[in-house]
Amino acid sequence: MKKVIFAASSGGHITEILKLEELFNEYKYLLVTEKTDITENLKDKYNIEYLKYGPNKNIFKYVYIILCNLVKCTKIILKFKPNTIVSTGAQIGGFMCFVGKLFGAKVIYIESLAKTQTLSKTGKNVYKIADKFYVQWKSLEKKYSKAEYLGRLI
């Protein structure tokens, strides 16, 4: 059975990735997100790993959290050995995509529904390495040659 990591930051990004929940049963899956008060209850329902939540108000703490999360992403990838990473962004999703790609995983990125005119920062970065890159607005498909519009995925 194929192994898939579904990765997204907390908030709207995890809400979007959870819209793909019906796919979880088709794969051996792992959900990866930030640990917050909102996401902590997901452990009762999903196979999940948490990364540190890192608001960027304190630059030194933020850099420390980024480094910790990159190490944890690498450990997760090495332990789970996914065939594919599916992400809706933001920071956590981008980290998982890049680390997964380094270890041979296929990367599927779904740009946020909120992005109607340009790609998000994470989207712009992951676009370069994504095997599949989906957008949820036709206008974005016209701007980015690699982007595919299949309607509202989420």
Side-chain angles (χ1 to χ4, degrees), residues 2 4 9 20 30 36 38-40 43 51-52 58-59 71 74 78 81 102 113 121-122 127 145:
K2 285 190 176 186
V4 178
S9 295
L20 301 173
L30 179 64
T36 65
I38 295 167
T39 62
E40 194 167 5
K43 70 179 180 272
L51 299 177
K52 291 181 179 290
N58 177 325
I59 190 67
V71 169
T74 303
L78 291 173
K81 296 180 175 58
L102 283 173
L113 180 64
K121 286 180 185 177
T122 304
Y127 180 82
S145 61

Side-chain angles (χ1 to χ4, degrees), residues 2 11-12 19 28 32 36 50 53 55 64-67 72 77-78 80 93 103 120 124 128 138:
K2 285 190 176 186
K19 298 288 183 179
K28 182 172 182 181
V32 178
T36 65
Y50 292 106
Y53 175 69
Y64 171 76
I65 288 171
I66 286 173
L67 294 173
K72 179 110 188 228
I77 296 289
L78 291 173
F80 191 73
F103 290 97
S120 63
K124 287 176 185 174
K128 301 167 190 168
K138 192 83 171 145

Side-chain angles (χ1 to χ4, degrees), residues 1 13 17 22 36 45 55 78 92 111-113 138-139 147:
M1 180 174 265
H13 296 283
I17 208 87
E22 65 187 46
T36 65
K45 187 173 180 183
L78 291 173
I92 299 303
E111 184 59 273
S112 173
L113 180 64
K138 192 83 171 145
S139 58

